[in-house]
Amino acid sequence: DTDSSDVCSGPLFKRSVGMWIWEFFVTRDWESVKLTLDIITAGVVIPFGILTYLRNAQKEQRDREEDAYDALDDRYLEYLNFCQTHPLLDVFDVADANPAQLTLEQQKQELIAFVMLFTIFERAYLKYYDQATAIKAKQWSGWEKYIREFCKRGNFRKAWKTQGTLFDQGFEAYMKAVIGSHERDPGS
């Protein structure tokens, strides 16, 4: 009785492996050796190439998501700057408790501000609504809450009614549904 580990480590095993390697290289023509080495190389290189490709594709996807986030963030910061430079307009995140009576020029500025906000919302909708990745789903959740808060405001809904036909049809349908729910139940 011999232990199988003894067989693999014994001189007979070493000799038989050595003989196999010797026979493989000596008894074969070099074309078959080259073909065998090419197959072994491909077996290593191809999976490595696929893995590298998948990693790069994931990185590019993350980069695109970050770029989309940054672009929306930049546009939103521009909107906040507009709000800061036009404090009499009731267009900031927090609605004025007692909004000022606006001149015709200020009413037009308020409408323009809301159109700016509509385009930001539309971009968020197109980038994040109904998306599969976790990052996009989280982003949409925040944007949706923000949109719903603005839809509670009468001046926002009024601006949408005059300018809401200029956007993506899916976004328009979404906004009509949200605004409609607030018009039917103003407290929601």
Side-chain angles (χ1 to χ4, degrees), residues 35-153:
L35 179 63
T36 303
L37 291 175
D38 286 347
I39 291 170
I40 291 170
T41 302
V44 172
V45 170
I46 290 174
F48 180 74
I50 291 171
L51 181 62
T52 301
Y53 170 78
L54 292 174
R55 283 185 180 161
N56 287 339
Q58 288 174 340
K59 183 185 179 309
E60 289 173 8
Q61 177 66 27
R62 281 192 308 272
D63 289 346
R64 281 191 301 273
E65 288 174 354
E66 287 176 12
D67 289 346
Y69 175 83
D70 289 343
L72 266 175
D73 193 45
D74 289 345
R75 290 178 74 187
Y76 181 67
L77 290 174
E78 289 173 16
Y79 178 76
L80 290 179
N81 186 47
F82 180 89
C83 292
Q84 185 178 23
T85 58
H86 297 84
L88 290 179
L89 307 180
D90 188 18
V91 294
F92 183 60
D93 300 9
V94 180
D96 291 342
N98 297 311
Q101 289 289 60
L102 302 178
T103 66
L104 290 176
E105 181 181 348
Q106 289 170 326
Q107 290 174 16
K108 187 170 186 173
Q109 289 175 336
E110 187 173 88
L111 179 62
I112 291 168
F114 280 136
V115 171
M116 290 169 53
L117 191 58
F118 298 157
T119 62
I120 294 169
F121 289 166
E122 178 187 37
R123 176 59 62 197
Y125 174 86
L126 294 173
K127 286 287 182 187
Y128 300 126
Y129 180 79
D130 199 25
Q131 296 294 319
T133 67
I135 292 172
K136 288 183 176 185
K138 288 178 186 177
Q139 285 296 315
W140 176 245
S141 173
W143 280 106
E144 184 173 35
K145 289 176 188 171
Y146 195 60
I147 291 169
R148 288 185 179 280
E149 282 301 310
F150 265 98
C151 286
K152 292 177 183 179
R153 298 167 64 166

